Amino acid sequence: MSKSTEKTSPKSLGLLVEFEDQHQLLKACEAVRDAGLTKTDAHVPFPVHGIDEALGIRKTMLPWLVLAMGLTGGISGLAMQYYMNATEQPGMLLSGYPYMISGKPTFSLPANIPVTFELTILLSAFGAFFGMIALNKLPVFSNPLFRHKNFARATNDRFFLTVDATDPKYKGQKHREMLEKFSPVAIDEIEADPSCDQIPKFMKYVVIVLLAALTVPPMMVWNARNTTSPHPRIHPIQDMDNQLKKKTQTTSPIFADGRAMRPRVPGSVARGEWQPLEFLTGVVPGGEATSNVALLQDEEKPAEDKPAAEDKPAEEKPADEAKPAEEKPADEKPAGDKPAAADAAAEEKPPEPDWVTTFPETLEINAKLMERGQQRYNIYCAVCHGVSGEGNGLVSLRAFELQQPTWVQPTNLHDPNVTKQPVGRVFNTITNGIRKMPSYEAQITPEDRWAIVLYLKALQKSRDATIQDVPQIEADALKGQGN
Amino acid sequence: MATVEEVADITLETPGKRAPLVTGGLKFGSITEIVAGVPEQEKPPLAWYIGFCVSVAALGMLFALIGYLVMTGVGVWGNNVPVYWGWPIVNFVFWVGIGHAGTLISAILCIFRQNWRTSINRFAEAMTIFAVACAGIFPAIHIGRVWVFYWLFPYPSLYLNMWPNFRSPLLWDVFAVSTYATVSILFWYMGMIPDLATLRDRTKSRVHQIGYGIASLGWTGSARQWHRYEKAYILLAALAAPLVLSVHTIVSFDFAVSQLPGWHTTIFPPYFVAGAVFSGFGMVLTLIVPARQWFGLKELVTTRHLENICKILLATGSMVGYAYAMEFFMAWYSGVAAEQFTFQNRAFGPYYWAYWTMITCNVVVPQIFWFKKCRTTPWIMFVASIFVNIGMWFERFVITVTSLSRDFLPSSWGYFTPTWVDIGMFIGSFGLFFTLFLLFLRFLPMVAMAEVKSVMPHGEHDPIAQADHV
């Protein structure tokens, strides 16, 4: 009988002793411990007081693990915030990005404490939970104990002691008799699982195939992100990528003029671009005549029918650039000229606006502005008026050479009519043009126009200058040169 | 073995006399029978079905409204000039506050060895998690473009090439609430592992065996595993205790770090935490009074438990009352005209009705718990706890809306009115909460069986029981 049972019954793994009372269990545990058995365990529905000593369970290392995780969380939390908000490594793939908000420092400890604290707690909690799971070698879903019918009560109201047969000091029958003394409910052999405990061979391939299949979706995403396609993207959330709008340089039926791009409302000034009116117009504001200087100029036009000459400056510019280099030395003092805006003579009819007679206060008059004016003058004005302002610019010379019938000689800027003009009027001429001379408002900024006026005034003055007008130091230098 | 007569309690209540933690002469097995009996029922009671249908309907409404919000934009809410923080933030703070009681009962009372917590902690922790889920919805959808909510997290994105601004209180919130939710879930789940093993071992249904089997991770109640488990549990409790205080502190920073009169005060963190504990215990009471009635838990959740909760309500209710008074004092003492005006305006301005509702519900009503009769009569507690819930919602409303609607400049004053979407979402969030809660009652052990067993008297050899006999 016993032989046949041994044959059919599977291998014994140890003893399973069932108690009704935790106090009996504790005594049994102590006895087993004193017998020198170490591979023992108890299975109880709740932590029984004193069982750690009774079984000889050593203290767990879990608190140290939690401490380590907590320190990691705290330090990495601080380092992360420092890296992300207070550093910048240009060119690095994931560089930090320092924000400047309300002038606050990019890294200040008080503001960074909350996140540091939360990460410390989070990682510590992970340490406690997952550390417990790992140290307990969970999850385990297969356990020979589960095959014992009564063992289900281990999580309810019964107390079990197990002794492992692989313990070197384990002697089956002897220990069985020893445990009988503690009046257990039952003593059973723990039986190994009779079913084959080998994982079937094909499972290996199934796992490999499944793992391989798992890589497919990320590979597809990676591929899609790195290839071009003629098809439009799948675009589930539109954000503002696609919206009803008009692009630049297109037409729109919404406005009467059919333009999608809207011009600036007349009279409006962009924020931060406000300048005094006299600076923008060269006219002292207030008078009736100042209301629209451009209009005033337009009215003048028909009165003057000198033919236009300014068709060609663009063509001639290259030549023009070469010339100033030659002429510059000569340019410093002398000047013979013809005013470009020789308008002064021509119009008595419309009321003269109240021209600005001095340079606007907002303008800083210095050598730098003078140089700027010279440079702008040589670019925009000298082509017709000549570098010295005598109306003999390259365009003009060429026009005479070709005997252009409609060409009119540009004004000599040293003509008394021009030299008398107040600065506001000269500025206005550049801005709005006069007779055949077009408006330069679009090409030259107001400040540059004032710079040109400044330079022109200097040019005019230099024509009649005497040695007394020259500062002493400069005069001495000239004398030296003259010798 | 354990009987009522020799029941002991290590929390001192009346000198010389100790109230039992578990009444009715229960043994270990009968605890299991009572608690595990609920999820083991073939069919839950009719009331469960009715409650579940109502909750799911409200939940459906919540999802529909979220869909409507996402498709249309946050303009469907009443948030507008000057009240940009309306109901969504009110609801968020309200639900986060509700969550606090669960962790508090579990963690802080665990550290203080308050064993009476064992029969209500599971329940309260579940409430915490579901409340935090409700809370999490509101900040997630109020950002406008919900589908890029993950930009809040510092994930390595080559597309954005940017990081979150860690000096913003609203980002602290992201970390605080997500950490709180994660740790609460870990704490709750870990406490449940032994009880899930009990359910696994008792159930006859194969499906349940597999389900509970996977969830219980193969727990066998091994003493060596219990040793680490207990250590991990007390560590988690020690970590959760400061966490629970930090979460509402950080929520209060959202307000306090700004410059608005009525928000920019140092009293906010302690005041918010006290309010959170208050509202959380209010909700615990609201849930547990009917639940112990319907599920036959009267022996486990005794009148003494309820009385303790009422005492906490009385204490924290008085604390928030003190905070309300102190806000007025500080406004007067600071000498800041805008601050003074804000508080006069709260009490007597256009939102006076919300203010006095708050005072009545939060400060006046809990004072009934000075009377022992009120502390021990379930229906009185239940009614009072409803008042507490209402009052705490109004507290958040008063703080958020009154300060914004009238700040420094009279030219920018306005009156806030919620839209039907605001109201529907708030009701819908209750749908989410109760749906989750009813599922919890149906499928999971609502009392921590192993913990209750461990604080029961352990027979004639038990040193505590012995001492008690003397």
Side-chain angles (χ1 to χ4, degrees):
Chain A
M1 179 67 196
S2 68
K3 267 202 172 176
S4 67
T5 30
E6 263 183 284
K7 243 186 188 178
T8 49
S9 76
K11 193 183 146 215
S12 166
L13 296 177
L15 292 178
L16 175 68
V17 194
E18 181 180 354
F19 294 97
E20 202 174 330
D21 189 302
Q22 70 265 41
H23 306 292
Q24 293 163 323
L25 172 74
L26 277 181
K27 282 175 193 156
C29 287
E30 281 163 11
V32 170
R33 179 196 65 195
D34 293 343
L37 293 173
T38 51
K39 292 194 172 181
T40 52
D41 205 346
H43 295 273
V44 286
F46 56 87
V48 173
H49 198 70
I51 203 161
D52 295 355
E53 301 88 67
L55 276 173
I57 299 173
R58 278 179 300 167
K59 276 197 174 169
T60 170
M61 59 173 286
L62 196 64
W64 295 107
L65 191 74
V66 173
L67 178 68
M69 286 293 278
L71 286 174
T72 312
I75 293 165
S76 60
L78 259 189
M80 174 186 81
Q81 294 176 77
Y82 181 76
Y83 173 73
M84 291 179 181
N85 274 182
T87 66
E88 188 176 23
Q89 289 84 34
M92 269 189 69
L93 205 56
L94 283 167
S95 164
Y97 189 98
Y99 293 81
M100 180 53 72
I101 292 167
S102 312
K104 294 175 195 161
T106 51
F107 185 80
S108 67
L109 209 51
N112 289 291
I113 286 297
V115 171
T116 309
F117 174 81
E118 298 298 333
L119 284 178
T120 309
I121 296 281
L122 184 69
L123 285 211
S124 306
F126 281 156
F129 180 78
F130 294 107
M132 184 276 287
I133 297 283
L135 291 174
N136 281 344
K137 298 188 178 67
L138 293 176
V140 174
F141 297 112
S142 166
N143 193 326
L145 290 171
F146 288 151
R147 293 169 41 74
H148 288 265
K149 193 165 168 271
N150 243 9
F151 187 74
R153 292 183 73 174
T155 54
N156 183 359
D157 57 351
R158 283 294 164 88
F159 302 84
F160 292 84
L161 174 66
T162 57
V163 182
D164 197 327
T166 57
D167 199 312
K169 294 199 173 167
Y170 176 74
K171 303 204 175 50
Q173 200 52 39
K174 185 188 146 198
H175 287 119
R176 199 185 182 106
E177 278 161 19
M178 182 189 88
L179 286 165
E180 297 271 4
K181 282 182 231 158
F182 297 100
S183 58
V185 180
I187 299 188
D188 287 330
E189 297 282 336
I190 305 168
E191 292 161 356
D193 198 332
S195 61
C196 176
D197 58 356
Q198 291 287 312
I199 298 171
K201 280 245 172 69
F202 70 89
M203 280 302 288
K204 194 168 77 179
Y205 300 105
V206 170
V207 169
I208 290 172
V209 169
L210 280 178
L211 286 178
L214 277 182
T215 62
V216 170
M219 295 290 272
M220 282 170 71
V221 171
W222 184 82
N223 184 49
R225 292 192 77 100
N226 287 287
T227 50
T228 52
S229 163
H231 302 291
R233 284 203 297 175
I234 301 170
H235 207 153
I237 293 159
Q238 297 291 324
D239 285 342
M240 284 192 276
D241 298 337
N242 297 309
Q243 54 179 312
L244 287 173
K245 68 178 177 212
K246 283 290 175 188
K247 298 204 168 170
T248 49
Q249 311 292 358
T250 56
T251 57
S252 162
I254 297 173
F255 300 100
D257 63 0
R259 287 196 284 177
M261 295 163 73
R262 304 309 305 157
R264 190 183 273 195
V265 177
S268 66
V269 178
R271 199 176 281 258
E273 285 181 7
W274 170 250
Q275 293 279 14
L277 268 179
E278 55 264 46
F279 183 88
L280 293 171
T281 60
V283 176
V284 176
E288 241 175 81
T290 62
S291 58
N292 197 335
V293 178
L295 207 69
L296 189 89
Q297 294 297 115
D298 283 344
E299 280 166 10
E300 280 175 20
K301 262 182 190 169
E304 287 285 322
D305 27 302
K306 286 184 187 172
E310 299 269 332
D311 307 326
K312 293 174 191 166
E315 291 165 28
E316 306 280 318
K317 260 183 190 166
D320 170 50
E321 271 166 27
K323 198 123 193 208
E326 265 171 48
E327 289 198 350
K328 245 179 195 167
D331 194 33
E332 272 169 16
K333 294 287 135 107
D337 51 359
K338 273 178 195 159
D343 40 335
E347 58 294 40
E348 302 91 35
K349 288 163 214 164
E352 275 285 304
D354 194 0
W355 299 117
V356 171
T357 52
T358 55
F359 286 94
E361 280 171 25
T362 49
L363 202 67
E364 207 181 323
I365 310 287
N366 52 23
K368 204 177 157 196
L369 190 73
M370 183 71 86
E371 271 171 38
R372 176 79 182 169
Q374 182 183 19
Q375 190 204 22
R376 295 293 111 175
Y377 175 88
N378 287 341
I379 291 173
Y380 292 107
C381 315
V383 283
C384 293
H385 292 289
V387 176
S388 57
E390 288 164 327
N392 56 354
L394 283 173
V395 173
S396 186
L397 293 179
R398 179 71 175 158
F400 285 120
E401 214 173 283
L402 297 174
Q403 298 186 321
Q404 290 285 317
T406 55
W407 181 254
V408 176
Q409 168 129 25
T411 311
N412 181 348
L413 297 177
H414 299 288
D415 187 284
N417 281 338
V418 181
T419 52
K420 283 196 307 213
Q421 284 179 9
V423 288
R425 175 146 188 197
V426 180
F427 178 86
N428 180 57
T429 305
I430 302 171
T431 306
N432 295 310
I434 193 159
R435 291 186 290 274
K436 288 294 180 186
M437 175 183 164
S439 158
Y440 279 83
E441 189 179 11
Q443 291 95 318
I444 312 176
T445 63
E447 189 166 25
D448 282 350
R449 275 178 253 148
W450 281 114
I452 292 173
V453 174
L454 179 66
Y455 175 68
L456 182 61
K457 284 287 159 194
L459 201 61
Q460 288 167 344
K461 194 172 182 190
S462 70
R463 167 62 62 98
D464 305 321
T466 62
I467 192 68
Q468 277 74 38
D469 293 331
V470 182
Q472 197 55 48
I473 300 171
E474 299 282 331
D476 292 347
L478 281 173
K479 269 179 194 164
Q481 272 178 13
N483 289 345
Chain B
M1 284 203 28
T3 54
V4 207
E5 293 79 40
E6 54 200 27
V7 153
D9 174 19
I10 57 168
T11 57
L12 282 174
E13 201 179 37
T14 326
K17 187 170 177 268
R18 284 170 181 171
L21 279 172
V22 176
T23 58
L26 299 180
K27 298 185 175 189
F28 296 142
S30 31
I31 302 274
T32 317
E33 288 296 334
I34 293 173
V35 179
V38 178
E40 280 169 5
Q41 290 168 348
E42 286 271 309
K43 276 187 177 174
L46 184 67
W48 188 89
Y49 281 108
I50 294 171
F52 193 68
C53 287
V54 174
S55 307
V56 168
L59 176 62
M61 179 172 75
L62 177 68
F63 283 142
L65 289 177
I66 290 175
Y68 175 58
L69 176 99
V70 170
M71 303 304 286
T72 318
V74 288
V76 299
W77 281 332
N79 302 358
N80 209 333
V81 187
V83 181
Y84 290 111
W85 284 22
W87 278 37
I89 306 295
V90 175
N91 296 344
F92 162 68
V93 183
F94 171 73
W95 278 117
V96 172
I98 296 275
H100 278 53
T103 326
L104 198 89
I105 290 172
S106 302
I108 295 182
L109 297 187
C110 175
I111 293 168
F112 289 143
R113 301 278 192 273
Q114 294 290 308
N115 286 335
W116 61 273
R117 66 180 263 284
T118 53
S119 28
I120 53 170
N121 69 344
R122 173 71 42 73
F123 203 81
E125 282 169 42
M127 184 193 81
T128 292
I129 288 156
F130 305 146
V132 171
C134 294
I137 282 183
F138 287 99
I141 56 179
H142 97 300
I143 57 177
R145 289 198 286 162
V146 185
W147 48 96
V148 289
F149 75 95
Y150 53 86
W151 285 1
L152 290 166
F153 296 97
Y155 78 108
S157 163
L158 295 173
Y159 167 60
L160 273 180
N161 208 6
M162 271 175 131
W163 301 110
N165 171 23
F166 289 105
R167 288 156 292 159
S168 158
L170 296 176
L171 189 75
W172 304 346
D173 252 6
V174 173
F175 277 81
V177 175
S178 58
T179 301
Y180 184 48
T182 312
V183 174
S184 298
I185 288 170
L186 286 183
F187 200 40
W188 182 60
Y189 174 63
M190 198 176 115
M192 218 154 39
I193 290 174
D195 292 348
L196 289 170
T198 307
L199 289 178
R200 171 200 65 197
D201 290 343
R202 284 171 54 92
T203 184
K204 299 283 180 286
S205 147
R206 191 72 190 144
V207 176
H208 285 188
Q209 273 174 353
I210 293 172
Y212 289 128
I214 291 172
S216 62
L217 306 176
W219 182 263
T220 56
S222 150
R224 291 172 194 279
Q225 292 184 350
W226 271 118
H227 172 70
R228 299 190 190 95
Y229 176 93
E230 281 202 291
K231 191 63 91 181
Y233 195 84
I234 196 82
L235 282 169
L236 270 184
L239 291 167
L243 179 67
V244 74
L245 300 183
S246 84
V247 173
H248 228 66
T249 301
I250 290 175
V251 169
S252 79
F253 282 166
D254 297 349
F255 297 86
V257 173
S258 73
Q259 296 286 343
L260 205 64
W263 285 7
H264 188 56
T265 52
T266 47
I267 200 175
F268 262 36
Y271 156 41
F272 266 51
V273 170
V277 173
F278 180 60
S279 69
F281 273 93
M283 188 59 98
V284 168
L285 211 50
T286 310
L287 295 175
I288 210 153
V289 168
R292 75 194 272 273
Q293 192 81 28
W294 290 336
F295 296 107
L297 299 178
K298 284 188 178 169
E299 290 97 343
L300 296 179
V301 183
T302 60
T303 311
R304 185 183 153 214
H305 287 103
L306 301 183
E307 197 180 345
N308 280 352
I309 296 175
C310 290
K311 285 175 184 169
I312 292 177
L313 276 182
L314 176 59
T316 50
S318 305
M319 283 182 210
V320 293
Y322 170 79
Y324 299 152
M326 194 45 67
E327 282 191 316
F328 273 91
F329 172 75
M330 288 311 295
W332 167 75
Y333 193 66
S334 68
V336 180
E339 190 85 13
Q340 290 170 348
F341 171 76
T342 296
F343 284 96
Q344 286 169 21
N345 187 48
R346 275 191 188 169
F348 307 109
Y351 294 102
Y352 74 94
W353 51 272
Y355 185 82
W356 293 109
T357 309
M358 172 187 94
I359 293 285
T360 311
C361 295
N362 288 354
V363 186
V364 179
V365 169
Q367 301 306 319
I368 61 168
F369 291 133
W370 288 106
F371 303 103
K372 190 164 179 97
K373 174 142 179 65
C374 297
R375 292 203 304 266
T376 49
T377 314
W379 72 265
I380 295 181
M381 299 174 201
F382 182 73
V383 173
S385 75
I386 299 284
F387 274 108
V388 169
N389 292 329
I390 295 171
M392 283 312 291
W393 189 87
F394 271 100
E395 182 194 299
R396 277 67 185 243
F397 178 83
V398 166
I399 292 171
T400 311
V401 174
T402 56
S403 278
L404 276 174
S405 69
R406 288 190 167 185
D407 65 355
F408 303 98
L409 292 174
S411 60
S412 63
W413 287 359
Y415 191 85
F416 173 82
T417 317
T419 63
W420 63 274
V421 182
D422 278 311
I423 298 164
M425 274 191 176
F426 183 49
I427 295 168
S429 68
F430 276 96
L432 173 63
F433 181 76
F434 281 107
T435 303
L436 292 171
F437 208 86
L438 287 167
L439 287 174
F440 161 72
L441 292 181
R442 177 78 188 92
F443 294 108
L444 294 173
M446 73 174 107
V447 173
M449 293 181 268
E451 289 191 46
V452 172
K453 287 172 196 168
S454 70
V455 298
M456 283 172 69
H458 300 150
E460 70 270 26
H461 303 286
D462 191 280
I464 301 168
Q466 287 291 328
D468 215 40
H469 277 299
V470 178

